[in-house]
Amino acid sequence: MSSDDIRLYVTIDKRLFRDALLYQLLLEDTVDLVGESATGVDTLNQLPTAAPNVLIIEEALTDNDGLTISEVALSQQPALRILLLVDKPVSPARLAIYLDAGIKAVIAKSQPVQELIQALGYIRQGQVYVDAASYTTASENPDHALHAFKSLSAREQEVARLMADRVAVKAIAERLGVSYKTVHSYKDRIFVKMGFERVPDLMLFMKRFRNRIDL
Amino acid sequence: MPSEPAAPVILRYEHTSDLDAFQSVFAGAFDIIPCRTDEEARHRIDHAPQAPAALVMIQPSLRNLGKSELLAQASNAGCFRILISDQLALDDIVHLLDERVIDRCYERPWDEKRLRTDLFTATMGVGIRDRSEPAAHEAPAADHTESRPLVLIVDDETAATKYLSKQLLRMQERFGVRCAASADEALNILRNEGDRIAVLMTDQRMPGMKGDQLISELRQSYPYITRILTSAYGELDVALGAVNEGRIFGYEKKPWNAANLRPVLEDAIAQHFRLKAQAASRQVQTSSSFQSSRERRRTRLMEALADPAPQALATAEVIDRFLSTLETIHTLNPGKAHLRALELPELDQALIRGLRVEVTSLTSPENGTREFHGHEIPAAIPEALATLLTASGLTTRSLEITESDQALTIASGPDQPLRMYSHLLSPLTGVSNPLLEQQGALLALFIWADRLGGHLNIHGGQHSFGLTLSLPSRKSARSLEDHNA
């Protein structure tokens, strides 16, 4: 862990949602979890000892308003970077209030998890992140990844399939009769073309693609 | 307002390829007005049906940008000004940003997400908030009555800082010097002497936290300390991030020269006092405009909720007692976000409507009664208490219940006050369900205390309050049976 790593605190009411998000975030080796809560009041009680540098908090908590809790947290720890999770995309007028209150990033629950991870990357450096596209227009075309997959070479598609089935790189190399290094360069190309950063992204895509789940 | 079309973005470009690249990324999200010349752009700023939100200049001639009439006009029109170029010299950028000639500067290729965030915040009118910080040349309002200000120098090359510090102290007596060998050490010094430190000058390259990270942290935690970045290397990308995000006052190349640095540091100290004075006067302004809106809201709440209003919830005396109680519970100081929320026309109405729903359901006699510690009390009272306890992270176990022949008294524990982070008369950023539930619960307790001939006393604190509710004793049937048995 180095100094610019994320010391994360997560405040999400529903346990299942919190766990699912944490499984994703802990795949990032720059993220360390220093605390979690289901309520705003518990968050304020824990913050001084947990000393996070990033707080992900739901707006619609059951005990107190998540935005008000964020304001109180910032008055106590002004350097804390807060990502607010909102139930649905918000109007620009509302978003302006969030940013004026010192919130660094706003993510709607209708957005893909990759966008939340991207936002974390920006706020980690103290930058503000709001994605106009997610608030003003319909979310990104879900066919994008599908087109990207179809444009992969036959070999790349095969490697993608094997990787999604969690076949080890060494085994893929043996099966295709190529070197270790070649498989890695296939992997890099696939990730760049598909816009993925991690194997789980690819696994989820392949499942959805094969089962023709319409997003 | 959300329903109006967003303000346009003026794009001043030199090459069609830049225009195409920009349009292909941003045309879907923003209304872009491309302009090939300064004259055209100036004309569009004046004649656009709606004031443009931002001016983006892609690689115009960088010469004389400080005197650019287009940039000056854009500034007057309230445009957020973004410069994109690849012929940037860091000294020039720091100067342009510091003098508020431009608001942001990026190298090519631009970071699409960053730029999108800037444009989007500009169309909402948030991006230009940095202008409230004064430019370096504005008239000083220095206040040197405090003890001698300090300059904090952060660099892991301790021999160099020690030498510079000695030289600076020998040269002058207007400021003191502190040295730190790392960002962590600097933050420690700030925790102890933060009030006296006027300027922080940090090297970029250090083990652990880097200079730009320290500056970014400082901007949040100690916004009035003037920030100077130094580096022996030309790390343009890092420094660009720092000047865009951290609003640094200057960029000094190493090796240092004490004679050259002294006037820079003295200017930086003057800047510190200017910023502090301006922030203080801004806080006074914000407080006074909040004060008047708070009085207006109080009057509206009285008019809408108290007799003789058509859907009154209680007598004027009870509502007035409730509101006066809220005034004793201290919450956050008002800020920009709260003033912005006040502009939303529906805020007060939403509060009144929401409160009416909560209180009506909690004060309806149809809820019946229930047994509570051997007493028959309206079921709404434990329900309202539960709401206040949940918001405080407490349970009914934390309540102290005492009973006598005359009264049942329910009080919050002395070491476990109830929490209230915002209320009807505090600065608000919106109307949330938890807010309405808490306010409704407290008002319902006032109403029940009044109806039953009891008392509700509240002692306000910081984000907290103590509660004592006494009700005339009314033993429950079961309790009487137990007693008889």
Side-chain angles (χ1 to χ4, degrees), chain B residues 183-217:
Chain B
D184 283 339
E185 199 183 323
L187 290 170
N188 252 332
I189 294 176
L190 284 164
R191 270 188 281 277
N192 297 323
E193 296 186 279
D195 294 345
R196 279 185 68 200
I197 290 170
V199 178
L200 174 135
M201 182 169 89
T202 177
D203 192 40
Q204 170 59 19
R205 288 207 179 177
M206 294 181 291
M209 192 191 264
K210 302 282 176 281
D212 60 324
Q213 292 167 340
L214 176 61
I215 278 177
S216 149
E217 170 115 18

PDB file of all heavy atoms in Angstrom, chain B residues 183-217:
ATOM      1  N   ALA B 183       5.723  14.735   3.583  1.00  0.00           N
ATOM      2  CA  ALA B 183       4.361  15.242   3.648  1.00  0.00           C
ATOM      3  C   ALA B 183       3.731  14.912   5.000  1.00  0.00           C
ATOM      4  O   ALA B 183       3.017  15.731   5.581  1.00  0.00           O
ATOM      5  CB  ALA B 183       3.532  14.655   2.517  1.00  0.00           C
ATOM      6  N   ASP B 184       4.011  13.727   5.507  1.00  0.00           N
ATOM      7  CA  ASP B 184       3.447  13.341   6.801  1.00  0.00           C
ATOM      8  C   ASP B 184       3.916  14.275   7.908  1.00  0.00           C
ATOM      9  O   ASP B 184       3.134  14.688   8.759  1.00  0.00           O
ATOM     10  CB  ASP B 184       3.831  11.891   7.151  1.00  0.00           C
ATOM     11  CG  ASP B 184       2.982  10.896   6.379  1.00  0.00           C
ATOM     12  OD1 ASP B 184       1.886  11.303   5.928  1.00  0.00           O
ATOM     13  OD2 ASP B 184       3.406   9.739   6.223  1.00  0.00           O
ATOM     14  N   GLU B 185       5.223  14.584   7.869  1.00  0.00           N
ATOM     15  CA  GLU B 185       5.751  15.495   8.879  1.00  0.00           C
ATOM     16  C   GLU B 185       5.089  16.871   8.729  1.00  0.00           C
ATOM     17  O   GLU B 185       4.754  17.522   9.719  1.00  0.00           O
ATOM     18  CB  GLU B 185       7.270  15.596   8.705  1.00  0.00           C
ATOM     19  CG  GLU B 185       7.980  16.122   9.933  1.00  0.00           C
ATOM     20  CD  GLU B 185       9.484  16.274   9.696  1.00  0.00           C
ATOM     21  OE1 GLU B 185      10.065  15.420   8.991  1.00  0.00           O
ATOM     22  OE2 GLU B 185      10.058  17.252  10.195  1.00  0.00           O
ATOM     23  N   ALA B 186       4.885  17.298   7.476  1.00  0.00           N
ATOM     24  CA  ALA B 186       4.242  18.589   7.225  1.00  0.00           C
ATOM     25  C   ALA B 186       2.832  18.599   7.807  1.00  0.00           C
ATOM     26  O   ALA B 186       2.414  19.562   8.458  1.00  0.00           O
ATOM     27  CB  ALA B 186       4.198  18.874   5.723  1.00  0.00           C
ATOM     28  N   LEU B 187       2.079  17.510   7.592  1.00  0.00           N
ATOM     29  CA  LEU B 187       0.716  17.453   8.103  1.00  0.00           C
ATOM     30  C   LEU B 187       0.709  17.495   9.636  1.00  0.00           C
ATOM     31  O   LEU B 187      -0.188  18.076  10.248  1.00  0.00           O
ATOM     32  CB  LEU B 187       0.004  16.191   7.584  1.00  0.00           C
ATOM     33  CG  LEU B 187      -0.321  16.224   6.077  1.00  0.00           C
ATOM     34  CD1 LEU B 187      -0.801  14.865   5.594  1.00  0.00           C
ATOM     35  CD2 LEU B 187      -1.352  17.301   5.768  1.00  0.00           C
ATOM     36  N   ASN B 188       1.724  16.897  10.235  1.00  0.00           N
ATOM     37  CA  ASN B 188       1.850  16.960  11.696  1.00  0.00           C
ATOM     38  C   ASN B 188       2.060  18.384  12.174  1.00  0.00           C
ATOM     39  O   ASN B 188       1.439  18.827  13.136  1.00  0.00           O
ATOM     40  CB  ASN B 188       3.047  16.110  12.143  1.00  0.00           C
ATOM     41  CG  ASN B 188       2.579  14.852  12.834  1.00  0.00           C
ATOM     42  OD1 ASN B 188       1.491  14.850  13.429  1.00  0.00           O
ATOM     43  ND2 ASN B 188       3.362  13.800  12.743  1.00  0.00           N
ATOM     44  N   ILE B 189       2.970  19.096  11.503  1.00  0.00           N
ATOM     45  CA  ILE B 189       3.222  20.493  11.863  1.00  0.00           C
ATOM     46  C   ILE B 189       1.935  21.310  11.680  1.00  0.00           C
ATOM     47  O   ILE B 189       1.591  22.146  12.509  1.00  0.00           O
ATOM     48  CB  ILE B 189       4.381  21.064  11.003  1.00  0.00           C
ATOM     49  CG1 ILE B 189       5.684  20.340  11.365  1.00  0.00           C
ATOM     50  CG2 ILE B 189       4.514  22.568  11.192  1.00  0.00           C
ATOM     51  CD1 ILE B 189       6.880  20.743  10.516  1.00  0.00           C
ATOM     52  N   LEU B 190       1.203  21.012  10.593  1.00  0.00           N
ATOM     53  CA  LEU B 190      -0.032  21.747  10.336  1.00  0.00           C
ATOM     54  C   LEU B 190      -1.054  21.504  11.446  1.00  0.00           C
ATOM     55  O   LEU B 190      -1.777  22.414  11.838  1.00  0.00           O
ATOM     56  CB  LEU B 190      -0.621  21.324   8.987  1.00  0.00           C
ATOM     57  CG  LEU B 190       0.094  21.904   7.769  1.00  0.00           C
ATOM     58  CD1 LEU B 190      -0.291  21.146   6.511  1.00  0.00           C
ATOM     59  CD2 LEU B 190      -0.246  23.381   7.610  1.00  0.00           C
ATOM     60  N   ARG B 191      -1.096  20.274  11.945  1.00  0.00           N
ATOM     61  CA  ARG B 191      -2.058  19.982  13.008  1.00  0.00           C
ATOM     62  C   ARG B 191      -1.762  20.820  14.244  1.00  0.00           C
ATOM     63  O   ARG B 191      -2.664  21.262  14.938  1.00  0.00           O
ATOM     64  CB  ARG B 191      -2.031  18.488  13.358  1.00  0.00           C
ATOM     65  CG  ARG B 191      -3.018  17.690  12.519  1.00  0.00           C
ATOM     66  CD  ARG B 191      -3.124  16.255  13.011  1.00  0.00           C
ATOM     67  NE  ARG B 191      -2.017  15.418  12.576  1.00  0.00           N
ATOM     68  CZ  ARG B 191      -1.958  14.830  11.370  1.00  0.00           C
ATOM     69  NH1 ARG B 191      -2.935  14.985  10.510  1.00  0.00           N
ATOM     70  NH2 ARG B 191      -0.929  14.092  11.027  1.00  0.00           N
ATOM     71  N   ASN B 192      -0.473  21.061  14.520  1.00  0.00           N
ATOM     72  CA  ASN B 192      -0.119  21.820  15.726  1.00  0.00           C
ATOM     73  C   ASN B 192      -0.091  23.329  15.496  1.00  0.00           C
ATOM     74  O   ASN B 192      -0.459  24.093  16.361  1.00  0.00           O
ATOM     75  CB  ASN B 192       1.247  21.357  16.243  1.00  0.00           C
ATOM     76  CG  ASN B 192       1.210  19.898  16.654  1.00  0.00           C
ATOM     77  OD1 ASN B 192       0.206  19.435  17.191  1.00  0.00           O
ATOM     78  ND2 ASN B 192       2.277  19.175  16.367  1.00  0.00           N
ATOM     79  N   GLU B 193       0.389  23.737  14.330  1.00  0.00           N
ATOM     80  CA  GLU B 193       0.597  25.171  14.107  1.00  0.00           C
ATOM     81  C   GLU B 193      -0.158  25.685  12.887  1.00  0.00           C
ATOM     82  O   GLU B 193       0.203  26.726  12.338  1.00  0.00           O
ATOM     83  CB  GLU B 193       2.100  25.464  13.924  1.00  0.00           C
ATOM     84  CG  GLU B 193       2.914  25.161  15.160  1.00  0.00           C
ATOM     85  CD  GLU B 193       4.366  25.593  14.988  1.00  0.00           C
ATOM     86  OE1 GLU B 193       5.136  24.840  14.367  1.00  0.00           O
ATOM     87  OE2 GLU B 193       4.697  26.702  15.436  1.00  0.00           O
ATOM     88  N   GLY B 194      -1.189  24.928  12.447  1.00  0.00           N
ATOM     89  CA  GLY B 194      -1.925  25.280  11.237  1.00  0.00           C
ATOM     90  C   GLY B 194      -2.416  26.718  11.214  1.00  0.00           C
ATOM     91  O   GLY B 194      -2.464  27.348  10.156  1.00  0.00           O
ATOM     92  N   ASP B 195      -2.782  27.248  12.389  1.00  0.00           N
ATOM     93  CA  ASP B 195      -3.328  28.611  12.441  1.00  0.00           C
ATOM     94  C   ASP B 195      -2.294  29.653  12.043  1.00  0.00           C
ATOM     95  O   ASP B 195      -2.643  30.726  11.556  1.00  0.00           O
ATOM     96  CB  ASP B 195      -3.808  28.935  13.856  1.00  0.00           C
ATOM     97  CG  ASP B 195      -4.982  28.078  14.246  1.00  0.00           C
ATOM     98  OD1 ASP B 195      -5.565  27.474  13.330  1.00  0.00           O
ATOM     99  OD2 ASP B 195      -5.284  27.995  15.451  1.00  0.00           O
ATOM    100  N   ARG B 196      -1.023  29.367  12.308  1.00  0.00           N
ATOM    101  CA  ARG B 196       0.003  30.390  12.059  1.00  0.00           C
ATOM    102  C   ARG B 196       0.630  30.247  10.674  1.00  0.00           C
ATOM    103  O   ARG B 196       1.318  31.159  10.221  1.00  0.00           O
ATOM    104  CB  ARG B 196       1.111  30.288  13.118  1.00  0.00           C
ATOM    105  CG  ARG B 196       0.738  30.977  14.427  1.00  0.00           C
ATOM    106  CD  ARG B 196       1.911  30.948  15.370  1.00  0.00           C
ATOM    107  NE  ARG B 196       3.014  31.796  14.897  1.00  0.00           N
ATOM    108  CZ  ARG B 196       4.270  31.654  15.309  1.00  0.00           C
ATOM    109  NH1 ARG B 196       4.589  30.694  16.155  1.00  0.00           N
ATOM    110  NH2 ARG B 196       5.214  32.453  14.853  1.00  0.00           N
ATOM    111  N   ILE B 197       0.440  29.082  10.019  1.00  0.00           N
ATOM    112  CA  ILE B 197       1.121  28.874   8.743  1.00  0.00           C
ATOM    113  C   ILE B 197       0.370  29.571   7.615  1.00  0.00           C
ATOM    114  O   ILE B 197      -0.831  29.364   7.421  1.00  0.00           O
ATOM    115  CB  ILE B 197       1.318  27.372   8.479  1.00  0.00           C
ATOM    116  CG1 ILE B 197       2.365  26.869   9.481  1.00  0.00           C
ATOM    117  CG2 ILE B 197       1.786  27.111   7.045  1.00  0.00           C
ATOM    118  CD1 ILE B 197       2.535  25.414   9.539  1.00  0.00           C
ATOM    119  N   ALA B 198       1.079  30.434   6.921  1.00  0.00           N
ATOM    120  CA  ALA B 198       0.463  31.219   5.857  1.00  0.00           C
ATOM    121  C   ALA B 198       0.778  30.636   4.490  1.00  0.00           C
ATOM    122  O   ALA B 198      -0.012  30.754   3.564  1.00  0.00           O
ATOM    123  CB  ALA B 198       0.950  32.666   5.926  1.00  0.00           C
ATOM    124  N   VAL B 199       1.950  30.020   4.364  1.00  0.00           N
ATOM    125  CA  VAL B 199       2.409  29.532   3.067  1.00  0.00           C
ATOM    126  C   VAL B 199       3.026  28.146   3.230  1.00  0.00           C
ATOM    127  O   VAL B 199       3.741  27.904   4.211  1.00  0.00           O
ATOM    128  CB  VAL B 199       3.485  30.479   2.472  1.00  0.00           C
ATOM    129  CG1 VAL B 199       4.002  29.949   1.138  1.00  0.00           C
ATOM    130  CG2 VAL B 199       2.943  31.886   2.306  1.00  0.00           C
ATOM    131  N   LEU B 200       2.729  27.261   2.286  1.00  0.00           N
ATOM    132  CA  LEU B 200       3.413  25.975   2.256  1.00  0.00           C
ATOM    133  C   LEU B 200       4.097  25.839   0.900  1.00  0.00           C
ATOM    134  O   LEU B 200       3.467  26.025  -0.142  1.00  0.00           O
ATOM    135  CB  LEU B 200       2.434  24.825   2.478  1.00  0.00           C
ATOM    136  CG  LEU B 200       3.048  23.425   2.319  1.00  0.00           C
ATOM    137  CD1 LEU B 200       2.596  22.524   3.464  1.00  0.00           C
ATOM    138  CD2 LEU B 200       2.669  22.785   1.001  1.00  0.00           C
ATOM    139  N   MET B 201       5.399  25.591   0.939  1.00  0.00           N
ATOM    140  CA  MET B 201       6.140  25.366  -0.301  1.00  0.00           C
ATOM    141  C   MET B 201       6.643  23.935  -0.267  1.00  0.00           C
ATOM    142  O   MET B 201       7.373  23.553   0.645  1.00  0.00           O
ATOM    143  CB  MET B 201       7.303  26.347  -0.402  1.00  0.00           C
ATOM    144  CG  MET B 201       8.091  26.206  -1.697  1.00  0.00           C
ATOM    145  SD  MET B 201       9.242  27.567  -1.946  1.00  0.00           S
ATOM    146  CE  MET B 201      10.673  26.926  -1.104  1.00  0.00           C
ATOM    147  N   THR B 202       6.203  23.127  -1.235  1.00  0.00           N
ATOM    148  CA  THR B 202       6.588  21.719  -1.183  1.00  0.00           C
ATOM    149  C   THR B 202       7.242  21.254  -2.467  1.00  0.00           C
ATOM    150  O   THR B 202       6.888  21.701  -3.560  1.00  0.00           O
ATOM    151  CB  THR B 202       5.376  20.812  -0.878  1.00  0.00           C
ATOM    152  OG1 THR B 202       5.805  19.438  -0.905  1.00  0.00           O
ATOM    153  CG2 THR B 202       4.273  20.983  -1.905  1.00  0.00           C
ATOM    154  N   ASP B 203       8.197  20.351  -2.304  1.00  0.00           N
ATOM    155  CA  ASP B 203       8.806  19.712  -3.454  1.00  0.00           C
ATOM    156  C   ASP B 203       7.842  18.658  -3.979  1.00  0.00           C
ATOM    157  O   ASP B 203       7.019  18.131  -3.226  1.00  0.00           O
ATOM    158  CB  ASP B 203      10.132  19.055  -3.031  1.00  0.00           C
ATOM    159  CG  ASP B 203      10.945  18.624  -4.250  1.00  0.00           C
ATOM    160  OD1 ASP B 203      10.961  19.389  -5.237  1.00  0.00           O
ATOM    161  OD2 ASP B 203      11.546  17.535  -4.222  1.00  0.00           O
ATOM    162  N   GLN B 204       7.917  18.388  -5.274  1.00  0.00           N
ATOM    163  CA  GLN B 204       7.053  17.355  -5.840  1.00  0.00           C
ATOM    164  C   GLN B 204       7.542  15.957  -5.477  1.00  0.00           C
ATOM    165  O   GLN B 204       6.797  15.135  -4.984  1.00  0.00           O
ATOM    166  CB  GLN B 204       6.965  17.525  -7.359  1.00  0.00           C
ATOM    167  CG  GLN B 204       6.291  16.382  -8.095  1.00  0.00           C
ATOM    168  CD  GLN B 204       4.855  16.139  -7.633  1.00  0.00           C
ATOM    169  OE1 GLN B 204       4.224  17.006  -7.031  1.00  0.00           O
ATOM    170  NE2 GLN B 204       4.356  14.956  -7.888  1.00  0.00           N
ATOM    171  N   ARG B 205       8.840  15.708  -5.709  1.00  0.00           N
ATOM    172  CA  ARG B 205       9.371  14.347  -5.532  1.00  0.00           C
ATOM    173  C   ARG B 205       9.830  14.107  -4.116  1.00  0.00           C
ATOM    174  O   ARG B 205      10.826  14.672  -3.671  1.00  0.00           O
ATOM    175  CB  ARG B 205      10.546  14.132  -6.478  1.00  0.00           C
ATOM    176  CG  ARG B 205      10.097  14.016  -7.886  1.00  0.00           C
ATOM    177  CD  ARG B 205      11.077  13.187  -8.664  1.00  0.00           C
ATOM    178  NE  ARG B 205      10.603  13.054 -10.035  1.00  0.00           N
ATOM    179  CZ  ARG B 205      11.277  12.426 -10.970  1.00  0.00           C
ATOM    180  NH1 ARG B 205      12.445  11.903 -10.694  1.00  0.00           N
ATOM    181  NH2 ARG B 205      10.780  12.334 -12.183  1.00  0.00           N
ATOM    182  N   MET B 206       9.083  13.272  -3.410  1.00  0.00           N
ATOM    183  CA  MET B 206       9.466  12.885  -2.051  1.00  0.00           C
ATOM    184  C   MET B 206       9.036  11.451  -1.870  1.00  0.00           C
ATOM    185  O   MET B 206       8.093  11.012  -2.513  1.00  0.00           O
ATOM    186  CB  MET B 206       8.739  13.758  -1.026  1.00  0.00           C
ATOM    187  CG  MET B 206       9.134  15.219  -1.061  1.00  0.00           C
ATOM    188  SD  MET B 206       8.240  16.152   0.200  1.00  0.00           S
ATOM    189  CE  MET B 206       6.576  16.114  -0.433  1.00  0.00           C
ATOM    190  N   PRO B 207       9.711  10.724  -0.978  1.00  0.00           N
ATOM    191  CA  PRO B 207       9.196   9.386  -0.674  1.00  0.00           C
ATOM    192  C   PRO B 207       7.836   9.529   0.011  1.00  0.00           C
ATOM    193  O   PRO B 207       7.604  10.519   0.702  1.00  0.00           O
ATOM    194  CB  PRO B 207      10.233   8.821   0.313  1.00  0.00           C
ATOM    195  CG  PRO B 207      11.360   9.789   0.362  1.00  0.00           C
ATOM    196  CD  PRO B 207      10.896  11.082  -0.210  1.00  0.00           C
ATOM    197  N   GLY B 208       6.942   8.574  -0.182  1.00  0.00           N
ATOM    198  CA  GLY B 208       5.610   8.663   0.419  1.00  0.00           C
ATOM    199  C   GLY B 208       4.745   9.610  -0.370  1.00  0.00           C
ATOM    200  O   GLY B 208       4.798   9.650  -1.597  1.00  0.00           O
ATOM    201  N   MET B 209       3.936  10.389   0.347  1.00  0.00           N
ATOM    202  CA  MET B 209       3.004  11.299  -0.315  1.00  0.00           C
ATOM    203  C   MET B 209       3.763  12.338  -1.138  1.00  0.00           C
ATOM    204  O   MET B 209       4.733  12.933  -0.663  1.00  0.00           O
ATOM    205  CB  MET B 209       2.145  11.989   0.750  1.00  0.00           C
ATOM    206  CG  MET B 209       0.960  12.728   0.191  1.00  0.00           C
ATOM    207  SD  MET B 209       0.178  13.778   1.438  1.00  0.00           S
ATOM    208  CE  MET B 209      -1.110  12.727   2.010  1.00  0.00           C
ATOM    209  N   LYS B 210       3.322  12.534  -2.397  1.00  0.00           N
ATOM    210  CA  LYS B 210       3.995  13.463  -3.300  1.00  0.00           C
ATOM    211  C   LYS B 210       3.496  14.893  -3.053  1.00  0.00           C
ATOM    212  O   LYS B 210       2.455  15.105  -2.443  1.00  0.00           O
ATOM    213  CB  LYS B 210       3.732  13.074  -4.738  1.00  0.00           C
ATOM    214  CG  LYS B 210       4.171  11.659  -5.082  1.00  0.00           C
ATOM    215  CD  LYS B 210       5.679  11.577  -5.280  1.00  0.00           C
ATOM    216  CE  LYS B 210       6.163  10.165  -5.534  1.00  0.00           C
ATOM    217  NZ  LYS B 210       6.277   9.352  -4.307  1.00  0.00           N
ATOM    218  N   GLY B 211       4.242  15.846  -3.623  1.00  0.00           N
ATOM    219  CA  GLY B 211       3.914  17.247  -3.420  1.00  0.00           C
ATOM    220  C   GLY B 211       2.515  17.616  -3.880  1.00  0.00           C
ATOM    221  O   GLY B 211       1.783  18.318  -3.188  1.00  0.00           O
ATOM    222  N   ASP B 212       2.115  17.122  -5.066  1.00  0.00           N
ATOM    223  CA  ASP B 212       0.791  17.519  -5.573  1.00  0.00           C
ATOM    224  C   ASP B 212      -0.326  16.924  -4.718  1.00  0.00           C
ATOM    225  O   ASP B 212      -1.368  17.540  -4.543  1.00  0.00           O
ATOM    226  CB  ASP B 212       0.634  17.118  -7.049  1.00  0.00           C
ATOM    227  CG  ASP B 212       0.774  15.623  -7.278  1.00  0.00           C
ATOM    228  OD1 ASP B 212       1.591  15.007  -6.588  1.00  0.00           O
ATOM    229  OD2 ASP B 212       0.064  15.084  -8.145  1.00  0.00           O
ATOM    230  N   GLN B 213      -0.066  15.737  -4.136  1.00  0.00           N
ATOM    231  CA  GLN B 213      -1.078  15.154  -3.245  1.00  0.00           C
ATOM    232  C   GLN B 213      -1.212  15.968  -1.969  1.00  0.00           C
ATOM    233  O   GLN B 213      -2.314  16.204  -1.468  1.00  0.00           O
ATOM    234  CB  GLN B 213      -0.696  13.718  -2.897  1.00  0.00           C
ATOM    235  CG  GLN B 213      -0.782  12.784  -4.094  1.00  0.00           C
ATOM    236  CD  GLN B 213      -0.110  11.454  -3.817  1.00  0.00           C
ATOM    237  OE1 GLN B 213       0.714  11.336  -2.917  1.00  0.00           O
ATOM    238  NE2 GLN B 213      -0.469  10.454  -4.588  1.00  0.00           N
ATOM    239  N   LEU B 214      -0.068  16.417  -1.463  1.00  0.00           N
ATOM    240  CA  LEU B 214      -0.089  17.247  -0.256  1.00  0.00           C
ATOM    241  C   LEU B 214      -0.861  18.535  -0.535  1.00  0.00           C
ATOM    242  O   LEU B 214      -1.677  18.985   0.274  1.00  0.00           O
ATOM    243  CB  LEU B 214       1.349  17.551   0.184  1.00  0.00           C
ATOM    244  CG  LEU B 214       1.505  18.482   1.387  1.00  0.00           C
ATOM    245  CD1 LEU B 214       0.855  17.900   2.626  1.00  0.00           C
ATOM    246  CD2 LEU B 214       2.986  18.760   1.662  1.00  0.00           C
ATOM    247  N   ILE B 215      -0.618  19.115  -1.716  1.00  0.00           N
ATOM    248  CA  ILE B 215      -1.289  20.360  -2.075  1.00  0.00           C
ATOM    249  C   ILE B 215      -2.792  20.154  -2.202  1.00  0.00           C
ATOM    250  O   ILE B 215      -3.591  20.965  -1.738  1.00  0.00           O
ATOM    251  CB  ILE B 215      -0.670  20.909  -3.382  1.00  0.00           C
ATOM    252  CG1 ILE B 215       0.620  21.657  -3.020  1.00  0.00           C
ATOM    253  CG2 ILE B 215      -1.626  21.823  -4.127  1.00  0.00           C
ATOM    254  CD1 ILE B 215       1.374  22.183  -4.198  1.00  0.00           C
ATOM    255  N   SER B 216      -3.163  19.031  -2.801  1.00  0.00           N
ATOM    256  CA  SER B 216      -4.585  18.745  -2.961  1.00  0.00           C
ATOM    257  C   SER B 216      -5.253  18.553  -1.593  1.00  0.00           C
ATOM    258  O   SER B 216      -6.346  19.032  -1.335  1.00  0.00           O
ATOM    259  CB  SER B 216      -4.737  17.523  -3.855  1.00  0.00           C
ATOM    260  OG  SER B 216      -5.864  16.787  -3.526  1.00  0.00           O
ATOM    261  N   GLU B 217      -4.555  17.876  -0.699  1.00  0.00           N
ATOM    262  CA  GLU B 217      -5.070  17.675   0.664  1.00  0.00           C
ATOM    263  C   GLU B 217      -5.208  19.012   1.391  1.00  0.00           C
ATOM    264  O   GLU B 217      -6.195  19.286   2.059  1.00  0.00           O
ATOM    265  CB  GLU B 217      -4.100  16.753   1.420  1.00  0.00           C
ATOM    266  CG  GLU B 217      -4.357  16.648   2.897  1.00  0.00           C
ATOM    267  CD  GLU B 217      -4.768  15.253   3.342  1.00  0.00           C
ATOM    268  OE1 GLU B 217      -4.530  14.305   2.581  1.00  0.00           O
ATOM    269  OE2 GLU B 217      -5.333  15.136   4.437  1.00  0.00           O
TER     270      GLU B 217
END
